[in-house]
Amino acid sequence: MSKRILFSSLVGAAALAGVAAGGIALASASTQPTLENGSARYVAPSDTRAGSLTYTVDVSDDSGVRDLKVLAWPASSKLDPTEVELRSAESATCRKTSDETTRCTYTLKVTKREAAALTQGTWYASALATAEDGDTTFVPRAATFDVTH
């Protein structure tokens, strides 16, 4: 075999190996967590029981779900929280429903006294999902709900 053919074959093999390695790297690249089927609900307190604000969402990631932070805020406040601010928010309670999906529920109990101080009208729930591999997804307005007295 001539040196020219051998060299060309080695260059071709190296190029194929590089393409294959790139394909493997793309195939194993991590994905961002996704939030689906989210809903929020406010229930006003009564004389016999506390009220609550509940936000529930299905969070999925190929590496699993580590945490979901939630912040509820009135639209009239013009708060518009950032991802950095949500890192210090309260965590939802999460339970696995499959290898990649977790159902997370954030519940905040509300007394009659607290409810009287809440701003009536439209509120938003912001969410920050963190995967086991460290990837994050921030949704500034993950759900909308109304607060009434």
Side-chain angles (χ1 to χ4, degrees), residues 13 21 24 43 54 59 77 82 99-100 102 109 143:
I24 291 169
V43 176
T54 304
V59 184
S77 72
T82 66
D99 287 342
E100 295 182 359
T102 300
K109 297 292 182 192

Side-chain angles (χ1 to χ4, degrees), residues 31-33 61 66 83 87 128-131 133-138:
T31 59
Q32 302 290 84
D61 188 79
R66 181 185 311 159
E83 180 174 347
R87 289 182 186 148
L128 175 63
T130 303
D133 62 8
D135 288 343
T136 61
T137 296
F138 171 62

Side-chain angles (χ1 to χ4, degrees), residues 48-93:
T48 58
R49 64 175 170 74
S52 64
L53 157 68
T54 304
Y55 172 65
T56 302
V57 66
D58 294 326
V59 184
S60 299
D61 188 79
D62 58 351
S63 69
V65 178
R66 181 185 311 159
D67 189 34
L68 179 74
K69 301 283 190 173
V70 179
L71 177 66
W73 52 281
S76 62
S77 72
K78 310 284 190 238
L79 184 63
D80 205 17
T82 66
E83 180 174 347
V84 172
E85 292 168 330
L86 234 66
R87 289 182 186 148
S88 61
E90 293 181 347
S91 291
T93 301

Side-chain angles (χ1 to χ4, degrees), residues 7 45 108:
F7 180 75
L108 179 64

Side-chain angles (χ1 to χ4, degrees), residues 28-49:
S28 64
S30 64
T31 59
Q32 302 290 84
T34 58
L35 284 72
E36 296 177 322
N37 306 318
S39 65
R41 185 173 80 135
Y42 172 75
V43 176
S46 69
D47 288 335
T48 58
R49 64 175 170 74

